Amino acid sequence: MDQLKVTIIQSNLYWEDKLKNRKMFAEKINKFTENTHIFVLPEMFNTGFTMQAAEFAEEMNGETISWMRDLALAKNAVIAGSLIIKENNQYFNRFIWMQPDGICINYDKKHLFGMADEPKNYTAGAQHCLIEYLGWKIKPIVCYDLRFPTWCRNTTDYDVLLVVANWPSKRITHWDALIKARAIENQCYVVACNRVGLDANEIEHNGHSAIFDPHGEELYFTDEASIENIDLSKSHLQLLRRQYPFLRDRD
């Protein structure tokens, strides 16, 4: 498929209230009438970036996973975002990719944010993830992973680097620079979904969700709560890689 339609939902979040967040995102998604292939939600979309892992974790057969499965089927589109998952008595900040056919693919955040005590409350993932969907190769990462270019390096010829985050306003210039850099150095689309609003720790988020093409051109940007549909072009990506075959010389 040449055109991949991606819908970014940049939103405020209800702090540690899974029911309200699910209801809010369901309303936004159900009101959206454009055709799309993927809805992208922020990091920890059903709780906010809480360190109360034991209190708010779910298992893979829990309510939020079931909610994602039902919504993906109803909208005939992928629902993607991260949430807290308990598995083998450990807690993970887990990215969930839920397809309309019920197939679920997950990725556990590798780089945990020490400044917020995330490593004290969560277990780091150890495995890369490559999703193949509709003829596209998509690599998901979560927030702080974005700072580590070796982890993001395009050694598998992926087409899209998909980032979900709770990235604060205080360091938003870093976010802006890094998502553009990851697109250029990996010759891929970068789809980056952040949140907006003030959380319970008085940390402000101003979004800056964006999409960059493989040449580093900005296709989409917003600093407000919004839901937006953007087309990615496989032929455009392939043309740029033929014209500028930088990946051929990668380490």
Side-chain angles (χ1 to χ4, degrees):
M1 178 177 290
D2 184 68
Q3 298 293 317
L4 186 69
K5 296 179 180 295
V6 179
T7 303
I8 290 179
I9 305 179
Q10 180 168 280
S11 178
N12 201 346
L13 302 175
Y14 294 100
W15 185 252
E16 296 180 346
D17 195 324
K18 293 188 284 187
L19 184 61
K20 280 188 177 181
N21 283 309
R22 289 197 300 262
K23 182 179 178 181
M24 179 263 294
F25 280 113
E27 288 176 352
K28 290 176 183 289
I29 290 170
N30 285 322
K31 287 179 181 178
F32 191 76
T33 58
E34 296 180 42
N35 291 328
T36 189
H37 297 119
I38 307 167
F39 288 101
V40 185
L41 283 56
E43 178 185 21
M44 291 195 189
F45 68 85
N46 66 341
T47 59
F49 191 59
T50 177
M51 294 300 103
Q52 303 302 316
E55 184 175 354
F56 295 102
E58 300 182 28
E59 297 189 358
M60 288 298 289
N61 61 353
E63 290 182 351
T64 300
I65 297 292
S66 296
W67 173 86
M68 294 177 79
R69 182 176 289 109
D70 292 344
L71 195 55
L73 177 61
K75 297 298 290 185
N76 192 32
V78 170
I79 309 294
S82 91
L83 62 150
I84 307 165
I85 293 292
K86 180 181 179 180
E87 190 171 88
N88 298 324
N89 292 317
Q90 296 176 306
Y91 301 98
F92 298 91
N93 184 347
R94 179 167 291 178
F95 173 91
I96 300 293
W97 169 278
M98 182 64 71
Q99 296 180 185
D101 59 7
I103 291 175
C104 179
I105 300 170
N106 53 265
Y107 160 76
D108 294 328
K109 185 178 182 182
K110 164 67 173 175
H111 299 91
L112 303 180
F113 188 52
M115 290 175 63
D117 288 336
E118 194 177 9
K120 295 180 181 179
N121 297 283
Y122 295 88
T123 298
Q127 302 296 323
H128 291 276
C129 178
L130 183 66
I131 299 165
E132 297 194 36
Y133 191 67
L134 302 178
W136 290 71
K137 293 181 179 181
I138 300 165
K139 178 183 177 66
I141 60 171
V142 179
C143 203
Y144 195 44
D145 287 330
L146 182 66
R147 284 192 179 271
F148 301 92
T150 302
W151 187 251
C152 300
R153 184 166 294 156
N154 194 356
T155 59
T156 55
D157 292 324
Y158 65 75
D159 307 309
V160 180
L161 185 67
L162 178 57
V163 190
V164 299
N166 271 217
W167 198 288
S169 304
K170 185 178 290 187
R171 295 181 295 279
I172 203 66
T173 55
H174 300 186
W175 164 269
D176 294 338
L178 289 168
I179 57 177
K180 182 174 183 177
R182 297 293 90 87
I184 294 169
E185 70 193 10
N186 294 300
Q187 281 197 303
C188 67
Y189 287 99
V190 171
V191 174
C193 179
N194 197 20
R195 64 159 293 182
V196 292
L198 191 69
D199 71 17
N201 296 314
E202 300 298 312
I203 296 174
E204 180 66 40
H205 305 79
N206 62 343
H208 287 218
S209 293
I211 294 179
F212 284 89
D213 82 353
H215 209 52
E217 298 296 327
E218 184 180 277
L219 304 182
Y220 170 70
F221 170 88
T222 184
D223 57 4
E224 299 178 348
S226 63
I227 178 168
E228 190 69 34
N229 202 22
I230 304 95
D231 288 349
L232 312 185
S233 169
K234 176 66 77 67
S235 57
H236 176 63
L237 179 147
Q238 292 172 336
L239 176 62
L240 287 174
R241 286 181 174 176
R242 286 196 302 271
Q243 289 178 330
Y244 308 102
F246 302 136
L247 290 179
R248 187 175 59 194
D249 301 322
R250 61 195 159 195
D251 296 329

